[in-house]
Amino acid sequence: EVQLVESGGGLVQAGGSLRLSCATSGFSFDDHVIAWFRQAPGQERERVAAISSGHGSSYYVDSVKGRFTISSDNAANMVYLQMNNLEPDDTAVYYCAADRQLLRVWMIGVCDYWGQGTQVTVTS
């Protein structure tokens, strides 16, 4: 059974930090791109960051560059999203997702597997 379980969300003031974790199981971690997406109330889901551990590459949406860092622990099948200097516009439900194809993940936002999400709320 494929599972992606997010944790680490919460309530934080603007300028603060949070670290999201995504525990994965049930699929070949090294063969997949793992990404973070987010969806704010009334808005479409948007990509945030992605990592291709097999290629050692990471990708970020412009709005989080320099503030967020995605990383992975391949031995533990974990992916993290370190979020610094958070802004109220970062408030959303954050989802971890996985797919074999970077194009599908980053250009289309389609993934085979999704987690249930974790709420991040940033107050001003």
Side-chain angles (χ1 to χ4, degrees):
E1 179 187 7
V2 172
Q3 286 192 319
L4 294 91
V5 180
E6 304 94 336
S7 62
L11 179 67
V12 64
Q13 287 189 328
S17 298
L18 284 173
R19 188 193 194 208
L20 304 184
S21 299
C22 176
T24 76
S25 61
F27 62 94
S28 176
F29 186 86
D30 291 347
D31 293 337
H32 283 71
V33 175
I34 312 296
W36 289 95
F37 290 80
R38 66 186 179 187
Q39 187 166 20
Q43 298 192 20
E44 293 186 357
R45 185 176 64 207
E46 67 166 345
R47 65 191 187 201
V48 176
I51 188 164
S52 172
S53 59
H55 295 89
S57 302
S58 56
Y59 308 86
Y60 299 92
V61 67
D62 286 347
S63 60
V64 307
K65 284 180 180 177
R67 300 189 298 122
F68 291 12
T69 302
I70 190 169
S71 62
S72 66
D73 181 344
N74 290 19
N77 292 349
M78 295 285 297
V79 173
Y80 306 97
L81 186 68
Q82 178 67 44
M83 306 187 295
N84 297 329
N85 194 21
L86 282 160
E87 304 168 354
D89 283 349
D90 295 318
T91 295
V93 177
Y94 283 70
Y95 298 92
C96 179
D99 196 90
R100 289 185 179 271
Q101 300 181 39
L102 177 63
L103 183 67
R104 276 163 50 94
V105 173
W106 202 243
M107 301 305 293
I108 306 174
V110 173
C111 295
D112 283 339
Y113 310 121
W114 291 86
Q116 293 300 307
T118 185
Q119 176 70 48
V120 171
T121 303
V122 184
T123 61
S124 58

